[in-house]
Amino acid sequence: MFESLTEKLESIFKKLRGRGLLKEEDVDAALKEVRLALLEADVNFRVVKDFIQKVKEKAVGKEVLESLTPGQQVIKIVNDELCDLLGGKNSRIQLSPNPPTVIMMVGLHGSGKTTTSAKLAKFFKKEGRRPMLVAADLQRPAAIEQLITLGSQIDTPVFYSKDAKDPVALCRESIKKSKLDARDVLILDTAGRLHIDESLMAELKHVRDAVSPKEVIFVADAMTGQDAVNIAKNFNEQIGIDGIILTKMDGDARGGAAISIRAITGKPIKFIGVGEKIDMLEPFYPERIASRILGMGDVLSLIEQAQKTFEQKEAEKLQEKILGETFTFDDLKEQLKKIRSMGPLENILNMIPGMNKMRGLTVDEKEFVKIEAVINSMTFAERRNHNLLNGSRRKRIAMGSGTTVADVNRVVKQYVELKKMLKMFKGKKGIKLPKIMPF
Amino acid sequence: MGLFERLKDGLAKTRKGFVEKVESIFTREKIDEDTIEELEEILITSDVGIHATQEIVNFLRERVKKGGIGDSASVKESLKKEMISILGSSSPIVLFGEKPFVILTVGVNGVGKTTTIGKLASRFTSQGHSVLLAASDTFRAAAIEQLEIWAKRAGAGIVKHQSGSDPAAVAYDAIESAKHKKTDIVIIDTAGRLHTKSPLMEELKKVRRVVEKATSHAPQEVLLVVDATTGQNALRQAQMFNEAIGVTGVALTKLDGTAKGGIVFAIKKELGIPVRLIGVGEGIDDLRDFDPEEFVEALFD
């Protein structure tokens, strides 16, 4: 998400970095580019205008800190303002002291309410809560069936009635039912509707008044364009929203809608949806997204994700190996497996600073399979000592792994280079994860 | 309500924001740089996209400089003409070739593929064609049920397998069945997928290959459904789907909201893919052929 904006800003600030002094006209030139980039990223026109104005006020006449170049200073101001706009702190969903906590999901058609409702239920389940889903979308054909199917996938009860005509009555009933069944979180999946559809918006108000939700969550598609401000403004003014969930963040939309919606409603973005699977819901971290927009990479996210996968012990073992210079092909294989288990490679690469510039180096997941196959075809002795790999052995490995000798050569070369690189870390504390990528 | 009225009605909200602003500019006496910059803003807030906007604005700027246009009325005419010329001539879905005419429907999640198929099927059956729907969205929970309801409403047949089964196999069976029964039109529903997910795009390529195998001439139409609310990413979507399976036309949905749908200019300009249909409401009849002149006229009327 956001790559293109990142690229754009990176190239702008590269220009700034190259200069010794930051003049007012340089700030203007840079901000003109920032403006275009933000517009291209679907940030709303007026939001961009305000943003640029703010940054300009802060940048011009500001003393450049000694430790920073003028370019870095501008990046810092842009970054700070962006973080500010995106909401400062990560905000969680509030639970009601008197259960059930009622959460009402609202939004346009196709924004992802039903899927997100199920994801949220799964999230609360993991937290040890007893959620219940309510199929309050009585408009879309088969919406009830969709929620029932999702509910059964995550082993969460769904309150529904196939003959129901009135979502208000249904939702009211669901609260009674949740109390009977001791369900403490109630997630209402309402029908998608246009923010200018008066009768459907009125219906939503009735539902809200009938169930007094603890939180009204506005579900918005990350790909939304300029209209995001109108939609969010209408839902907020008419229903009153408490938080935002941005969906489809796993695509390549630049995601300017996040900035627009945040700016126009002042409400926090609580989660982002990053995939179709039910557990693909992540907390929203403004700082990370902002620094990602500015091309600093989402190092924090990467580290957190990596920590989940690499257990401490294994990390220590690896460190020992590196320091002892006994990094073998088996270790390489193990590392590749770990990296792959962190999720789709593109996602991980995007989080590494500067990596998104290396678009020419497309990472083919197949390449990893190849490397693994090559290593699997080596003898144990070969895996420990690459010097054994003469021509005929390489030929055998190629045949055994269904690759070519050139492929084998490449794997060996990558391994040797990696080993060299790892040696350089000797003496440095800790292991730098991005460095063990095989390229 | 006639079709044209329905379009105008659907576009009324589009027209309001856009035209009110444009009108307020056009009623000014003199055309200056501020005027043109304001025009640029209007186009951008309509999701026209920066590149298309700049092309339009530069064109106007040139014309003003050359003295070709000096007053607001002629700016309006020039702008209209320029916007129409970007969209090209009208190109609705035209049935041709051997039966069945196969329409493969694709798009990202939540753009309204299934609903569009339902409306399209209903339009074809009301014109007297026989229609068979292929429930190739075997991924999303209850997608098959949703399509079944639309098939019933439209009076179309449906071929379905179990949820989770091979979408290509469903498409194949639908076409075989259509050949056997001499059905006029097969519309294939596919699961919404982000264009960045390569395994899912591969799956789509397979559906296309299987369709090509089942008949020598199909699919005659590969329809990309685009949500009018989407910003510049719609262009990426069109690019990626086009690269993967060759898109022949766009259906622009949800034009009855406040979104301006300006992305159609960028899609046509950058990729040459025409808009075939627009969705202007939730009713079964709220699907219309896209007519560029009518569309631009409706914006400026």
Side-chain angles (χ1 to χ4, degrees):
Chain A
M1 42 184 160
F2 297 133
E3 289 91 348
S4 310
L5 178 54
T6 306
E7 278 163 25
K8 195 99 194 227
L9 289 181
E10 269 188 358
S11 77
I12 296 162
F13 288 124
K14 208 175 274 165
K15 283 182 220 154
L16 279 186
R17 277 190 195 112
R19 299 181 188 185
L21 254 175
L22 187 70
K23 296 170 203 148
E24 189 179 337
E25 63 204 62
D26 288 337
V27 174
D28 280 343
L31 290 184
K32 200 177 163 195
E33 292 294 326
V34 172
R35 174 183 172 269
L36 273 184
L38 291 172
L39 286 175
E40 219 172 316
D42 290 326
V43 182
N44 179 264
F45 189 83
R46 264 175 242 167
V47 175
V48 172
K49 210 169 172 184
D50 289 351
F51 179 78
I52 295 296
Q53 192 53 38
K54 257 194 213 164
V55 173
K56 199 183 164 180
E57 275 166 22
K58 297 209 169 160
V60 173
K62 176 124 184 168
E63 213 176 312
V64 177
L65 296 175
E66 258 182 49
S67 56
L68 297 177
T69 66
Q72 284 169 333
Q73 184 82 44
V74 176
I75 291 176
K76 194 178 172 305
I77 295 167
V78 172
N79 182 51
D80 289 351
E81 284 306 309
L82 219 49
C83 281
D84 230 38
L85 236 175
L86 283 168
K89 265 189 198 152
N90 164 39
S91 167
R92 301 198 55 170
I93 288 183
Q94 302 296 311
L95 292 175
S96 165
N98 308 312
T101 297
V102 179
I103 300 168
M104 195 171 143
M105 312 291 280
V106 303
L108 293 185
H109 309 267
S111 55
K113 283 175 300 303
T114 306
T115 306
T116 307
S117 296
K119 285 180 176 179
L120 215 46
K122 171 128 196 211
F123 169 82
F124 282 115
K125 220 173 135 97
K126 266 194 190 158
E127 301 259 291
R129 304 277 158 191
R130 289 167 48 81
M132 181 164 93
L133 289 158
V134 181
D137 179 355
L138 308 177
Q139 303 274 331
R140 181 161 58 91
I144 299 173
E145 285 80 357
Q146 187 184 354
L147 198 66
I148 293 171
T149 309
L150 292 171
S152 74
Q153 281 172 19
I154 53 171
D155 201 19
T156 296
V158 177
F159 184 81
Y160 68 94
S161 155
K162 292 213 170 156
D163 315 311
K165 294 271 182 293
D166 177 15
V168 181
L170 181 96
C171 291
R172 210 179 271 135
E173 279 302 305
S174 74
I175 293 187
K176 283 185 206 155
K177 176 75 174 158
S178 75
K179 284 179 180 160
L180 278 178
D181 294 355
R183 292 279 152 189
D184 53 9
V185 178
L186 206 55
I187 301 167
L188 313 183
D189 177 30
T190 67
R193 65 201 75 215
L194 277 175
H195 50 292
I196 49 167
D197 186 323
E198 280 167 26
S199 66
L200 283 178
M201 289 303 272
E203 177 195 276
L204 210 51
K205 267 182 244 174
H206 292 318
V207 172
R208 178 201 64 196
D209 294 343
V211 301
S212 333
K214 178 77 182 160
E215 296 233 349
V216 176
I217 299 290
F218 175 60
V219 182
D221 187 327
M223 298 183 275
T224 312
Q226 293 284 323
D227 204 37
V229 289
N230 295 326
I231 300 161
K233 192 165 175 255
N234 268 282
F235 271 97
N236 192 35
E237 281 174 1
Q238 296 188 52
I239 314 299
I241 65 173
D242 300 290
I244 297 148
I245 295 182
L246 271 184
T247 61
K248 307 177 206 173
M249 287 286 269
D250 47 330
D252 60 354
R254 297 166 201 176
I259 299 173
S260 302
I261 297 172
R262 181 68 185 84
I264 208 80
T265 63
K267 297 291 160 42
I269 299 169
K270 306 212 166 185
F271 287 99
I272 56 175
V274 291
E276 284 185 86
K277 289 192 192 125
I278 301 184
D279 53 358
M280 289 180 157
L281 188 72
E282 291 180 356
F284 177 77
Y285 295 105
E287 303 84 358
R288 293 181 189 177
I289 302 292
S291 69
R292 190 164 170 158
I293 291 171
L294 295 177
M296 297 169 206
D298 199 348
V299 182
L300 277 172
S301 280
L302 176 74
I303 290 170
E304 191 184 71
Q305 213 167 347
Q307 270 168 350
K308 269 190 229 155
T309 316
F310 288 77
E311 277 168 16
Q312 188 61 25
K313 251 195 273 169
E314 279 173 310
E316 278 165 18
K317 230 163 68 190
L318 179 70
Q319 191 165 10
E320 240 166 68
K321 279 193 169 145
I322 292 165
L323 297 177
E325 289 175 38
T326 56
F327 185 76
T328 67
F329 274 110
D330 277 322
D331 297 324
L332 173 62
K333 200 173 90 181
E334 215 35 50
Q335 290 312 310
L336 290 181
K337 240 190 226 162
K338 292 269 160 58
I339 289 169
R340 288 178 73 197
S341 72
M342 282 160 65
L345 216 51
E346 300 105 83
N347 291 3
I348 294 168
L349 285 183
N350 279 339
M351 296 177 191
I352 300 174
M355 268 301 183
N356 54 0
K357 278 184 298 190
M358 302 169 67
R359 270 296 146 76
L361 270 181
T362 48
V363 182
D364 191 356
E365 298 263 347
K366 276 186 205 147
E367 195 59 30
F368 280 74
V369 178
K370 224 183 231 175
I371 296 173
E372 219 180 306
V374 167
I375 295 175
N376 281 338
S377 291
M378 293 179 181
T379 66
F380 290 116
E382 286 163 352
R383 290 185 206 181
R384 278 190 295 266
N385 181 5
H386 72 276
N387 292 322
L388 290 175
L389 294 167
N390 58 22
S392 73
R393 281 176 188 259
R394 288 181 192 216
K395 209 163 157 190
R396 189 206 76 237
I397 292 167
M399 282 177 56
S401 58
T403 58
T404 65
V405 174
D407 287 328
V408 176
N409 289 342
R410 202 166 55 239
V411 173
V412 174
K413 201 176 154 209
Q414 281 170 338
Y415 163 76
V416 172
E417 272 169 14
L418 191 60
K419 205 171 164 177
K420 246 190 254 163
M421 219 159 73
L422 289 173
K423 259 195 219 166
M424 294 195 303
F425 285 126
K426 224 175 132 176
K428 279 188 193 168
K429 279 200 173 161
I431 298 153
K432 294 208 172 154
L433 285 166
K435 299 289 184 193
I436 56 176
M437 300 290 222
F439 20 74
Chain B
M1 194 189 273
L3 280 179
F4 188 68
E5 282 72 25
R6 193 182 291 277
L7 169 75
K8 282 199 166 180
D9 210 44
L11 289 176
K13 294 128 197 164
T14 311
R15 205 163 61 230
K16 254 186 211 161
F18 188 87
V19 169
E20 270 168 20
K21 279 183 262 175
V22 173
E23 288 291 352
S24 72
I25 287 172
F26 287 148
T27 47
R28 281 192 211 151
E29 291 286 300
K30 231 181 83 200
I31 311 295
D32 53 18
E33 192 54 24
D34 283 352
T35 315
I36 292 194
E37 269 171 29
E38 261 175 73
L39 202 53
E40 186 181 18
E41 291 178 13
I42 293 168
L43 293 175
I44 286 171
T45 50
S46 305
D47 287 321
V48 167
I50 285 167
H51 300 296
T53 297
Q54 280 175 344
E55 171 162 315
I56 296 167
V57 165
N58 288 341
F59 169 84
L60 285 181
R61 202 170 265 145
E62 280 300 305
R63 291 288 305 271
V64 172
K65 216 186 268 173
K66 278 185 197 154
I69 36 178
D71 59 80
S72 43
S74 52
V75 171
K76 192 170 166 179
E77 279 314 306
S78 293
L79 183 59
K80 251 196 241 173
K81 262 191 214 148
E82 181 61 10
M83 292 182 87
I84 292 170
S85 84
I86 288 176
L87 291 175
S89 56
S90 141
S91 46
I93 294 180
V94 178
L95 302 181
F96 65 91
E98 260 172 74
K99 282 180 190 177
F101 185 85
V102 180
I103 302 172
L104 177 59
T105 319
V106 301
V108 301
N109 315 68
V111 289
K113 278 180 299 302
T114 310
T115 308
T116 301
I117 290 168
K119 293 183 199 169
L120 195 55
S122 152
R123 172 209 273 211
F124 283 133
T125 53
S126 70
Q127 288 169 352
H129 298 292
S130 52
V131 178
L132 187 62
L133 305 183
S136 287
D137 180 354
T138 57
F139 177 80
R140 183 166 60 85
I144 299 172
E145 287 83 345
Q146 190 182 346
L147 194 69
E148 266 183 309
I149 293 169
W150 276 111
K152 215 176 276 170
R153 283 183 192 170
I158 184 167
V159 169
K160 56 170 182 169
H161 289 186
Q162 293 277 314
S163 175
S165 56
D166 181 8
V170 181
Y172 183 84
D173 284 358
I175 291 173
E176 284 301 311
S177 164
K179 282 200 287 195
H180 188 71
K181 293 182 193 156
K182 305 214 177 333
T183 307
D184 298 330
I185 297 160
V186 174
I187 310 178
I188 304 168
D189 187 19
T190 62
R193 66 201 72 218
L194 289 177
H195 48 288
T196 50
K197 311 260 160 161
S198 47
L200 294 179
M201 294 306 274
E202 287 301 320
E203 181 190 272
L204 215 49
K205 285 186 200 168
K206 185 182 164 194
V207 173
R208 192 190 161 108
R209 279 199 303 274
V210 165
V211 169
E212 281 169 352
K213 242 176 226 169
T215 64
S216 53
H217 54 279
Q220 290 93 333
E221 183 74 40
V222 178
L223 197 61
L224 175 72
V225 183
V226 171
D227 183 336
T229 322
T230 310
Q232 299 310 299
N233 193 245
L235 185 58
R236 285 291 295 158
Q237 293 167 18
Q239 268 163 356
M240 300 293 275
F241 276 99
N242 190 37
E243 262 171 43
I245 52 160
V247 174
T248 58
V250 164
L252 187 69
T253 60
K254 310 187 197 176
L255 214 49
D256 47 333
T258 46
K260 313 289 197 289
I263 195 64
V264 296
F265 292 96
I267 290 176
K268 184 62 173 57
K269 183 176 166 287
E270 311 264 326
L271 300 170
I273 300 172
V275 183
R276 299 233 193 269
L277 299 160
I278 56 172
V280 292
E282 284 176 74
I284 200 159
D285 306 318
D286 291 329
L287 186 75
R288 282 225 39 178
D289 281 339
F290 178 79
D291 180 327
E293 283 189 36
E294 204 174 82
F295 186 77
V296 175
E297 282 296 335
L299 286 175
F300 287 93
D301 264 350

